[in-house]
Amino acid sequence: MTTREALFDDLSALLGKRGLLTDGGDMERYRVDWPGYRGAAPLAVARPSTTRQVADVVSYCHRHDIPLVPQGGHSGLVGGALPDADYPELVLSLERMTAIRHVDPINFTMSVDGGCVLQSIKDAAAAADCDFPLSLGAQGSCQIGGNVSTNAGGLNVLRYGMMRQLVLGLEVVLPDGRIYNGMKALHKNNTGYDLKQLFIGAEGTLGIVTGAVLKLFPRPQVSRTALLACPDIDAVLKLYALARRSCCDLLTAFELVPRTCLELAMEASPELRDPLETPSPVYVLMEAAASGPADLDAMIENLFERGFEAGALTDGVLASSETQARNLWHIREAMLEGQRNRGEHLRTDISIPISSLSAFHERASHEIQDLYPQATVIAYGHIGDGNLHFNILPPPGLEADERAALLHELEERLFGIVDDFDGSISAEHGIGRFKQSAFLETLSEPEYDIMRGLKHLLDPRCLMSPGRILPRPID
Ligand SMILES: Cc1cc2nc3c(=O)[nH]c(=O)nc-3n(C[C@H](O)[C@H](O)[C@H](O)COP(=O)(O)OP(=O)(O)OC[C@H]3O[C@@H](n4cnc5c(N)ncnc54)[C@H](O)[C@@H]3O)c2cc1C
């Protein structure tokens, strides 16, 4: 291990003055993430501006046994990017690598640096009359390298798939400092193992994503947003099946919003108004979009009719202007803020086969509410993907350790039910550090052996994001 002074000298020689932070105050913002969790003080923060510089820093760390953790936009929700408290780590931030390298509106592809903020990618695609469809609440700050590394999902998975389906090529700095250049803009490529897929969803444990070739789509010319009121989750699922069929595969989002979430949204954003006259137990926020002439109004009105006939729908509003559509989507954003304002709570992003969601929801809500009557369940999210944020707010006024113990108990109970339904404990946020012990319990021996083998092959010294996904040291 090298001394701190030698590390500072060597890294500033590699990165220049702007490329290295060593002062405690300067490094403060690299210790916190969006939910407000705080990591340890890093050894230093490296801010390379080119792939070559990333490779030089990683190679240096490899030679000197220095653990490091890549950071994007700090919007991850499982603590993966936070510096470790037990072993001081170097933070490697991609924030200076923000170039849009090339946009090809004929090939429908774009190549970008790993540190590009998602919103700037969406803007660049739109400027070329294309669409990059990944959409999520954190798009103003999260980076594409973070999106790739967490295999981000978001609102439009229903139509376009997750990040895994949106990446054609990757450039990755491997844990020994070598550069894997897979920046091919090919829609079809069947030559051997698909290596890029290894790094997608690897949460920085197998390498640092410094570049990506992304798949673009024709830019939607028309879109419609509606808020629909349903009597229960069963009705929501009935409506979902109707919507998939009656919207000619133009459905882009189908989000569950329970009444409790609407109330949290109105609490966080007092300018929001109850969108319908009579309160309903659950709502659906849905969107359909088309890149050419399509009568979306007629499709959605037809869905309203069929929904009413089937008893799946009690009321609804179809936004008649862009402002009204934006206001409806604002509910989705404000309810996240509303939850955050309620303090520490159990956040999950489980998935269940869509057809079992109603039975799962009923059993999980009853069990949790019977056991902990003062806890509040708020289950919302990408129901069209079978993905629910089944979150639980503990009763107010608990001491920190009481609250932590309760959240742990709630999580164990909930994940047990997820397992009974053959679901997944993470549909999109990943494992990081917070979900590791629960994740390890779900792994079969062959799964664990393959994952451990891959990690060992690429990072035998376990220096790259150690302790995320798999435990450190690898046994
Ligand atoms: C308001 C809000 C809404 C959200 N909604 C969604 C949603 O709908 N769907 C969804 O999937 N997620 C959602 N998220 C979670 C989060 O936005 C995503 O996980 C996002 O992809 C993380 O990107 P980031 O750049 O912020 O990564 P960070 O938080 O900085 O890092 C996340 C992980 O990726 C690793 N990493 C970061 N950059 C790189 C890189 N270049 N190379 C290798 N590893 C890297 C980090 O080490 C860490 O393990 C939401 C978060 C917030 C705050």
Side-chain angles (χ1 to χ4, degrees), residues 33-35 69-82 92 94 114-115 134-139 141-155 162 199 202-205 207-210 332 336 349 382 387 389 427-429 432 465 468:
D33 58 13
W34 184 87
V69 59
Q71 274 189 1
H74 306 178
S75 71
L77 299 172
V78 288
L82 294 177
L92 194 146
L94 278 283
L134 184 73
S135 287
L136 42 99
Q139 66 196 34
S141 55
C142 62
Q143 298 175 5
I144 202 70
N147 301 146
V148 169
S149 302
T150 57
N151 185 26
L155 297 171
M162 308 234 343
F199 303 100
E203 301 183 45
T205 60
I208 297 180
V209 175
T210 50
R332 184 68 177 74
L336 302 183
D349 65 313
H382 317 306
N387 173 198
H389 297 295
E428 49 180 27
H429 297 161
S465 293
R468 282 76 169 181

Side-chain angles (χ1 to χ4, degrees), residues 179-216:
I179 298 170
Y180 157 69
N181 183 351
M183 290 289 281
K184 284 193 191 299
L186 298 175
H187 292 276
K188 294 176 112 176
N189 180 6
N190 259 356
T191 50
Y193 302 127
D194 190 353
L195 294 181
K196 67 178 178 295
Q197 294 296 343
L198 263 186
F199 303 100
I200 304 176
E203 301 183 45
T205 60
L206 301 181
I208 297 180
V209 175
T210 50
V213 182
L214 306 172
K215 212 167 160 179
L216 301 180

